[in-house]
């Protein structure tokens, strides 16, 4: 649904600029339709056929007098017509080709603005995570310790746990943390980003106690033993378990075995005996970090949401562009994903804010990827138009035809590679 919306908006950007400059649009399609269409119609007195194809690899807007994925050589062999793309000055042609990218970026800014207007911006400040964080082995190897509270990267304060913070840490020379109540410095190696991608262990997670949010059912080990919402598990078999992960690891040692569980309720410590199941699970849901620590919420009115949404969109684009340099490394190439990876970005259970945040992010990705100077993408067409502006002569139709074919081969190769990565990741995980 999200990608279909973004494809339609992208193609509509091309469509609206083409019609503004009186260029004929022959087809406007969601998905591709080699040989046949799932649905199509052509309004009376309209020059455009609208439809839905059967091959879900994007969509297209067939513009008269242009070498594109339709590879309509017969039309290009005819004399140019006033309503064709090739008959228009280079300025309108540039606007037509950048229309899709522009609409995707503007859509992302609008979505971000409406998210801030509807939901505001609620986050958990790093300084409020009183128990610090649990770090991956990759970050422990360079000096981080579980319980460290992030303070700053190269002197710039770190505010919240997100991709921008991870990027700031990986690109910093030194990171300052609060450790046992005192500042400590961790030196970051120059190849930190490559290490993170190589190991695939991530960065860190908030360090929290095992506080019961709710029980998984009435017939679980926890329910039968009498645990209640709000209880905090502090020891398993006499071994202190200050954090969520400590409890999980200890319970796994007692699969299907009776064990003593110590917990606090209303400030008083108590003990019970229970038997975890064969997986070491007792049937409780733990409180999330934002339920245990104080969060900050920024609210926005309708008009103030737009500048804030624009800042969020621009910063997201900057971050994504910055990360692109890692794609050309061996480790980065392994991280490329296809449709499966995109699907995994969305939560399993419907969450309106998460859905629209991811839709806005994908819209920015779609805009950026399409403007890359690769033949068959909008950026490839823009590149050839800029060549025309500089040299004052058009590339030949034969050259554009070969460039289009080469670009399509490259894109299909990348598509196969990306989805192949998804398959191998799935295969390794099963």
């Amino acid at each position: 649904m999200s990608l279909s919306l973004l494809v339609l908006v992208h193609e509509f950007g091309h469509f609206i600029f083409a019609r503004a400059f009186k260029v004929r649009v022959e087809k406007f399609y969601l998905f591709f339709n080699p040989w046949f269409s799932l649905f199509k119609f052509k309004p009376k007195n309209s020059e455009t056929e609208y439809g839905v194809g059967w091959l879900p690899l994007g969509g297209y807007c067939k513009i008269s007098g242009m070498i594109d994925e339709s590879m309509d050589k017969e039309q290009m062999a005819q004399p140019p017509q006033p309503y064709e793309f090739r008959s228009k000055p280079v300025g309108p042609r540039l606007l037509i080709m950048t229309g899709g990218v522009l609409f995707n970026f503007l859509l992302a800014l609008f979505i971000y603005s409406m998210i801030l207007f509807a939901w505001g911006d609620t986050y958990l400040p790093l300084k409020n995570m009183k128990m610090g964080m649990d770090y991956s082995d990759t970050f422990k190897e360079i000096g981080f310790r579980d319980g460290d509270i992030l303070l700053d990267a190269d002197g710039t304060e770190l505010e919240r746990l997100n991709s921008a913070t991870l990027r700031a840490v990986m690109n910093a020379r030194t990171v300052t943390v609060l450790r046992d109540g005192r500042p400590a410095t961790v030196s970051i190696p120059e190849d930190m980003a490559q290490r993170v991608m190589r190991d695939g262990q991530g960065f860190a997670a908030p360090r929290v106690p095992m506080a019961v949010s709710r029980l998984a059912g009435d017939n679980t080990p926890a329910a039968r033993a009498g645990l209640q919402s709000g209880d905090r598990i502090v020891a398993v078999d006499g071994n202190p378990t200050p954090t969520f992960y400590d409890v999980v690891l200890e319970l796994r040692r007692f699969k299907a075995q009776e064990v003593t569980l110590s917990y606090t309720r209303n400030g008083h410590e108590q003990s019970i005996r229970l038997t975890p199941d064969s997986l070491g699970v007792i049937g409780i849901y733990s409180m999330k970090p934002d339920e245990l620590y104080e969060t900050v919420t920024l609210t926005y009115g309708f008009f103030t949401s737009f500048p804030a949404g624009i800042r969020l969109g621009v910063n997201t684009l900057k971050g994504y562009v910055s990360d692109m340099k890692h794609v050309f490394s061996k480790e980065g190439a392994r991280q490329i994903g296809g449709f499966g990876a995109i699907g995994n970005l969305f939560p399993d259970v419907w969450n309106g804010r998460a859905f629209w945040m991811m839709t806005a992010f994908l819209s920015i990705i779609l805009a950026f990827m399409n403007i890359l100077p690769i033949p068959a993408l909008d950026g490839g067409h823009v590149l050839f138009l800029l060549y025309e502006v500089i040299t004052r002569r058009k590339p030949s139709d034969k050259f554009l035809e070969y460039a289009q074919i080469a670009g399509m081969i490259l894109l299909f190769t990348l598509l196969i590679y990306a989805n192949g990565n998804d398959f191998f990741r799935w295969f390794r995980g099963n």
Side-chain angles (χ1 to χ4, degrees):
M1 175 181 169
S2 178
L3 285 176
S4 296
L5 169 65
L6 299 182
V7 167
L8 287 173
V9 169
H10 181 89
E11 299 305 332
F12 184 72
H14 293 307
F15 178 89
I16 200 70
F17 275 103
R19 298 307 299 133
F21 293 110
K22 295 181 171 50
V23 175
R24 180 178 295 176
V25 178
E26 298 177 12
K27 292 185 178 182
F28 184 94
Y29 264 73
L30 173 64
F31 306 151
F32 290 98
N33 65 323
W35 304 298
F36 69 93
S37 305
L38 296 179
F39 168 78
K40 63 181 179 180
F41 77 101
K42 189 173 185 179
K44 188 177 180 180
N45 301 323
S46 174
E47 300 167 338
T48 307
E49 176 183 294
Y50 301 88
V52 178
W54 60 271
L55 188 61
L57 296 177
Y60 71 99
C61 182
K62 187 177 185 306
I63 297 173
S64 294
M66 171 182 173
I67 296 177
D68 58 10
E69 58 269 15
S70 67
M71 299 301 292
D72 191 346
K73 300 179 184 179
E74 183 178 332
Q75 183 185 78
M76 298 303 294
Q78 303 299 317
Q81 301 297 318
Y83 55 79
E84 290 185 336
F85 177 83
R86 55 180 166 169
S87 300
K88 302 299 179 180
V90 69
R93 282 183 282 144
L94 273 170
L95 288 172
I96 292 170
M97 291 317 307
T98 55
V101 168
L102 177 63
F103 269 49
N104 275 136
F105 186 60
L106 291 177
L107 175 65
L109 300 184
F110 178 75
I111 292 175
Y112 280 134
S113 299
M114 291 300 96
I115 289 172
L116 294 177
F117 173 62
W119 286 284
D121 181 15
T122 299
Y123 67 96
L124 175 59
L126 291 169
K127 63 183 180 182
N128 289 358
M129 299 181 192
K130 302 305 181 184
M131 296 181 68
M133 293 193 293
D134 287 318
Y135 295 86
S136 68
D137 290 340
T138 306
F139 283 86
K140 288 180 183 177
E141 288 174 0
I142 66 170
F144 285 93
R145 298 181 188 174
D146 289 339
D148 285 351
I149 300 174
L150 291 169
L151 297 178
D152 66 68
D154 285 344
T156 301
E157 182 182 1
L158 298 173
E159 188 177 22
R160 61 177 88 182
L161 185 60
N162 58 13
S163 59
T165 292
L166 172 58
R167 196 175 296 115
V169 169
M170 291 192 302
N171 294 331
R173 298 182 64 182
T174 60
V175 172
T176 304
V177 299
L178 189 65
R179 179 179 297 164
D180 298 328
R182 297 182 178 180
T185 300
V186 179
S187 297
I188 308 299
E190 292 184 358
D191 66 341
M192 194 63 216
Q194 284 70 35
R195 296 189 188 196
V196 172
M197 291 185 290
R198 178 198 64 203
D199 297 342
Q201 297 179 347
F203 176 32
R207 189 175 172 88
V208 295
M210 175 67 92
V212 180
S213 173
R214 59 188 176 89
L215 303 179
D218 295 332
N219 196 33
T220 60
R224 292 193 297 269
L227 280 178
Q228 299 177 10
S229 175
D231 292 346
R232 293 195 180 194
I233 301 174
V234 296
V236 176
D237 194 40
N239 298 315
T241 53
T243 73
F244 168 87
Y245 289 110
D246 292 329
V247 175
V248 171
L249 293 175
E250 283 296 318
L251 287 175
R252 286 176 182 170
R253 295 177 51 232
F254 295 94
K255 299 176 181 179
Q257 300 178 49
E258 190 176 51
V259 65
T260 299
L261 208 67
S262 300
Y263 64 94
T264 60
R265 180 183 294 170
N266 300 323
H268 302 288
E269 186 169 326
Q270 305 179 47
S271 296
I272 53 173
R273 300 281 292 176
L274 54 69
T275 304
D277 68 14
S278 59
L279 298 175
V281 173
I282 62 173
I284 61 174
Y285 291 98
S286 178
M287 289 185 182
K288 298 177 181 179
D290 57 7
E291 296 177 277
L292 294 164
Y293 299 128
E294 184 180 356
T295 60
V296 171
T297 299
L298 304 177
T299 58
Y300 297 89
F302 181 76
F303 294 105
T304 57
S305 68
F306 286 98
I310 290 171
R311 284 194 301 272
L312 178 56
V314 170
N315 289 336
T316 301
L317 176 61
K318 287 180 179 178
Y320 183 75
V321 173
S322 173
D323 292 341
M324 279 298 294
K325 63 178 178 287
H326 301 304
V327 171
F328 301 101
S329 65
K330 180 174 68 175
E331 295 83 3
R334 292 174 181 167
Q335 305 302 314
I336 296 174
F339 297 120
I342 292 173
N344 289 334
L345 293 174
F346 292 89
D348 295 330
V349 179
W350 170 257
N351 181 305
R353 186 181 188 279
F355 173 84
W356 287 113
M357 282 291 289
M358 192 50 59
T359 298
F361 179 58
L362 290 175
S363 194
I364 283 178
I365 293 177
L366 188 59
F368 176 75
M369 296 301 292
N370 265 282
I371 205 62
L372 292 176
I374 298 173
L377 292 179
D378 297 341
H381 292 285
V382 170
L383 178 66
F384 297 137
L385 287 170
L386 292 177
Y387 168 84
E388 182 180 338
V389 171
I390 295 170
T391 65
R392 298 185 181 278
R393 62 178 183 177
K394 294 182 180 180
S396 69
D397 288 348
K398 186 60 67 175
F399 172 82
L400 293 176
E401 179 185 320
Y402 288 147
Q404 184 75 18
I405 293 171
M408 291 174 68
I409 292 172
L410 174 61
L411 292 178
F412 276 113
T413 302
L414 289 174
L415 184 67
I416 294 169
Y417 176 78
N419 285 281
N421 277 351
D422 284 349
F423 173 78
F424 286 116
R425 279 192 285 264
W426 174 85
F427 184 78
R428 287 195 299 266
N430 283 272

